[in-house]
Every structure is written in structure tokens, then in C-alpha cells.
Amino acid sequence: MDKQKEQNTQKPFNLVVLVSGGGTNLQAILDEMKADNLGGARVCLVISNNPDAYALKRAESLGIPTKCISPADYPTRTDFDNALLLALKEAQPELIVLAGYLVILPENVVHEFSGKIINIHPSLIPSFCGKGYYGLKVHEAALSRGVKVSGATVHFVDEGTDTGPILLQKAVYVSEDDTPQTLQRRIMEEAEWKLLPEAIRLLAQKGKDK
Ligand code: GRF
């Protein structure tokens, strides 16, 4: 079978990306997808808990379906958990990518999609991770500890916070004059925006080889 036909008969490797904010990591994924450099993976749905997330606009501008599922719109946390689980089941993703998703993922989702969820964290796990380490807090903690190297980690998601198996890591040097903001930006540019598409590419390739 020629390469084109082989690609056409292959099951698509569908991704659902969960976001909360600006979506620069989502953008990095979309750019690689447009460049046909994501191992055949494609984003089929973007879900945000925040209706104002700019990430939603990035997806919409490419015609990618979006949904807002926010805990604030449900009477109980269990109702939210079930709504998110239902939306994910309907999308039937091969992989769920947390790209700056600030909600603790419901346990029923983690169980249903065990081994099929990855997260990007802006430090070298196990440093500066776990409960309370999100956004600028991660970089504030790294600078106040005085580390000379930080970076980013892509890991599988389990029931804990940032405790799942590590898939990829990339180190980034800390400069003497770094602020939390400059360190955050450099870690995004040098590590996160490369590492997350790379992880997706790896897993998509692995999925196809099965
Ligand atoms: C990134 O630093 C990511 O590592 C963290 O949240 C931030 C999200 O940024 N989990 P963006 O929304 O992708 O721009």
C-alpha cells in the first residue's frame, strides 16, 4: 500500500485539549498540526472551564470545536465531574492534553482515561510541583530557592497532583537577573512550546505502531 493510502486508512489520533487561559501551549500544538508535524494527531475539541479564555478564540479561528464546561455552572461538583466526563467520552479522544488547565481533573475522568492524559508543568518535576504550584508561583519558588536550572516536564496524569510518570523534560538556565515573569516566558519559549508537541508526536506515533 502506498504511503498516502496507508495514512488515509489509519484511524485518526484525536486529541482533546483542556485549557483555562491564554493558550500559548495550545497554539504551539495547533502550529505543529497545521505544519503536519504532529505525528498525524489532530485536535478535535478544545474544552475550557473559563468562558473568557483566549485559548478558545485560538481554536475557533481554525474552526476547531470548543466547549466551555465550568464548575460554576453546575449545582454540585459531582454534576460538573459528570458533565466533563460525558463530553470527553463523546469526543472519544486517543489522548487528552492538559495545556494550562487550572481545574483539578475529576477522579472519574482520570480513571476512565487512565494512561491517556498528559499535562505540562513549568518546572523540572519533582521540584516546585504539587498543590499550590501553578502559574507564576512555580517560578517565584524556583527563584527564591536560588536554583540555577529550571525547565518543564510533560507527565502522565494520575490521581495525584503532578505525580504521574514523567514522559519528557527539558532544562532551561536561570539568569541572575530573572524575574518570575522573565523566567516563565523563557521556559515557555525554550521548553514548553517544544516539549508538548513533541510528547504528542511520540504518543501518536506509538499509537499508530500498535
Ligand atoms: C503554562 O506555563 C503551563 O506550563 C502551565 O500553565 C501555563 C499555561 O499557559 N500549566 P498557556 O495558557 O498555554 O499560555
Side-chain angles (χ1 to χ4, degrees), residues 20-26 55 58 98-102 119-122 135 139 184 188 192-193:
S20 296
T24 60
N25 278 286
L26 171 66
R58 294 179 192 269
L98 310 187
Y101 187 59
L102 294 178
N119 179 48
I120 178 110
H121 183 77
H139 308 293
Q184 179 184 53
M188 282 179 155
E192 294 184 49
W193 299 342

Side-chain angles (χ1 to χ4, degrees), residues 10-140:
Q10 267 168 357
K11 213 170 139 243
F13 193 87
N14 285 335
L15 309 174
V16 174
V17 184
L18 269 56
V19 295
S20 296
T24 60
N25 278 286
L26 171 66
Q27 190 64 56
I29 296 169
L30 296 177
D31 289 347
E32 295 293 347
M33 186 177 85
K34 279 190 282 178
D36 204 13
N37 195 24
L38 209 52
R42 60 172 190 131
V43 179
C44 66
L45 175 66
V46 173
I47 300 178
S48 173
N49 62 303
N50 167 15
D52 301 322
Y54 186 67
L56 291 174
K57 300 223 164 25
R58 294 179 192 269
E60 283 158 11
S61 73
L62 289 180
I64 294 167
T66 62
K67 278 195 170 125
C68 178
I69 303 176
S70 167
D73 295 334
Y74 293 87
T76 68
R77 185 66 192 210
T78 306
D79 292 322
F80 163 76
D81 293 357
N82 291 336
L84 184 62
L85 180 63
L86 185 65
L88 289 168
K89 277 181 161 176
E90 278 173 4
Q92 296 188 305
E94 264 63 54
L95 184 68
I96 297 170
V97 180
L98 310 187
Y101 187 59
L102 294 178
V103 176
I104 303 274
L105 206 58
E107 248 179 54
N108 56 3
V109 170
V110 177
H111 285 148
E112 179 72 30
F113 293 96
S114 169
K116 287 184 161 191
I117 312 173
I118 58 172
N119 179 48
I120 178 110
H121 183 77
S123 76
L124 294 174
I125 290 176
S127 293
F128 315 116
C129 66
K131 233 175 154 211
Y133 286 101
Y134 60 89
L136 281 175
K137 290 181 193 293
V138 178
H139 308 293
E140 281 161 8

Side-chain angles (χ1 to χ4, degrees), residues 3 9 34 110 123 127 155 175-176 179 183 196-197 204 208:
K3 203 155 177 85
T9 52
K34 279 190 282 178
V110 177
S123 76
S127 293
H155 64 93
S175 296
E176 275 194 10
T179 64
L183 183 58
L196 197 50
K208 275 195 220 147

